Amino acid sequence: MNENSKQTSISELGEFRLIDRITKAVELKNETTVKGVGDDAAILNYEGSQVLVSTDLLTEGIHFNLMYVPLKHLGYKAVVVNLSDIYAMNGIPRQITVSLAISSKFSVEAVDELYSGIHLACEKYGIDLIGGDTTSSLTGLTISVTAIGEINKEDLVLRSGAKPNDLLCVSGDLGGAYMGLQLLERENEVFKVNQNMQPKLDGYDYILERQLKPEARRDIVAAFKKMGIKPTSMIDISDGLSSEVMHLCKHSNTGCSVFEDKIPMDPQTKKMAEELNMNPLVAALNGGEDYELLFTIPLSDHEKIKNDPDFTIIGHMTETAEGVNLITGAGSAIPLQAQGWNMEK
């Protein structure tokens, strides 16, 4: 957004004209969307499929810092993190609703910028924006997105289907989003002290994109179908590998062994961790926001994925009594701890 361009206050436009403005570009793409925005409720028609619904909330100062998060990226990310939940059920997202609580410090043009990211995500993933709500806020910006998807009953994958001896696998690599956040936080602190300093971001494009513009792994769900694989359990990695492994174990009533030296990490993740005197494993286990898929498959499917660069086998499920453990390079078993979210953060 050009800071020198005219900024229009939201009060000047009013709620209804603002809604008209942010929905005028909406074009429906899915047959399941009978009626989108413009009435008291959207109308969806799912014949013979099960409907999946997921909601996420992003709050300024907690989930994002507008000192370094562009509004367009924020809009895109707000959509993608919800779509990831639908893909984690092996489903296909079709529609979203978007609700905003927004303060008077934001102009109409800022809302345009936010929605340009939302529309870009809808376009890329073939999603219909079908409604939402807007209201004022005294404290900044809050975005709530609800994703609606569909799945055939026989394709549904829950967290609860893993069995002992199943292989534990992950798509992509881990820890990049967290290390991207650490880099942005470091440079933001430098900027606060000296606003003439240029941020030192060169060479870290990948981890910055992992944080600012993540992608949902639609391609992995498509690959499962092509390869004839149906995971026994699955979850997306939003809160860090440790938390998600423990969710699978809890819901499936199993234990798990995760091998430290099998956890995939990008060279930029390791390099940034080295700069900050951190163990990159901490970023992979507890950082979160990677939005990769963590899933289990039967041993019989090993041949199907063993040479696929998108997948890494990082461990296997065990009996409950064996616990949930990280197996170090030296062969020691360390109980995994889930960090996750808490009120003290």
Side-chain angles (χ1 to χ4, degrees), residues 84 164 203 208 242 247 290 315:
S84 183
L208 289 171
S242 292
H247 282 311
D290 288 310

Side-chain angles (χ1 to χ4, degrees), residues 65-110:
N65 183 340
L66 291 175
M67 286 290 289
Y68 53 74
V69 176
L71 285 166
K72 184 174 183 177
H73 286 67
L74 178 62
Y76 189 91
K77 183 174 181 176
V79 175
V80 164
V81 301
N82 279 272
L83 304 187
S84 183
D85 286 328
I86 304 297
Y87 292 125
M89 306 287 286
N90 208 32
I92 303 170
R94 297 297 191 191
Q95 294 90 10
I96 59 166
T97 65
V98 177
S99 295
L100 296 182
I102 194 163
S103 74
S104 58
K105 74 177 182 180
F106 293 93
S107 65
V108 169
E109 288 75 17

Side-chain angles (χ1 to χ4, degrees), residues 84-208:
S84 183
D85 286 328
I86 304 297
Y87 292 125
M89 306 287 286
N90 208 32
I92 303 170
R94 297 297 191 191
Q95 294 90 10
I96 59 166
T97 65
V98 177
S99 295
L100 296 182
I102 194 163
S103 74
S104 58
K105 74 177 182 180
F106 293 93
S107 65
V108 169
E109 288 75 17
V111 177
D112 285 345
E113 192 74 3
L114 179 72
Y115 267 83
S116 71
I118 291 170
H119 292 312
L120 181 63
C122 287
E123 190 64 35
K124 175 162 184 175
Y125 288 91
I127 309 302
D128 293 333
L129 173 60
I130 60 166
D133 193 17
T134 58
T135 189
S136 58
S137 165
L138 298 178
T139 56
L141 174 64
T142 296
I143 310 171
S144 177
V145 177
T146 296
I148 302 159
E150 67 173 321
I151 190 166
N152 295 326
K153 190 174 182 179
E154 61 271 18
D155 294 328
L156 186 64
V157 177
L158 305 175
R159 299 177 180 183
S160 55
K163 300 286 189 294
N165 298 319
D166 279 357
L167 298 174
L168 180 69
C169 310
V170 69
S171 65
D173 57 79
L174 304 179
Y178 181 73
M179 293 318 302
L181 177 62
Q182 298 312 301
L183 174 58
L184 289 165
E185 288 282 4
R186 183 187 74 179
E187 296 306 308
N188 188 45
E189 290 304 313
V190 172
F191 179 77
K192 287 178 185 176
V193 175
N194 183 358
Q195 296 191 8
N196 294 317
M197 285 285 287
Q198 288 296 311
K200 297 177 181 178
L201 305 175
D202 289 348
Y204 288 116
D205 292 358
Y206 178 71
I207 61 172
L208 289 171

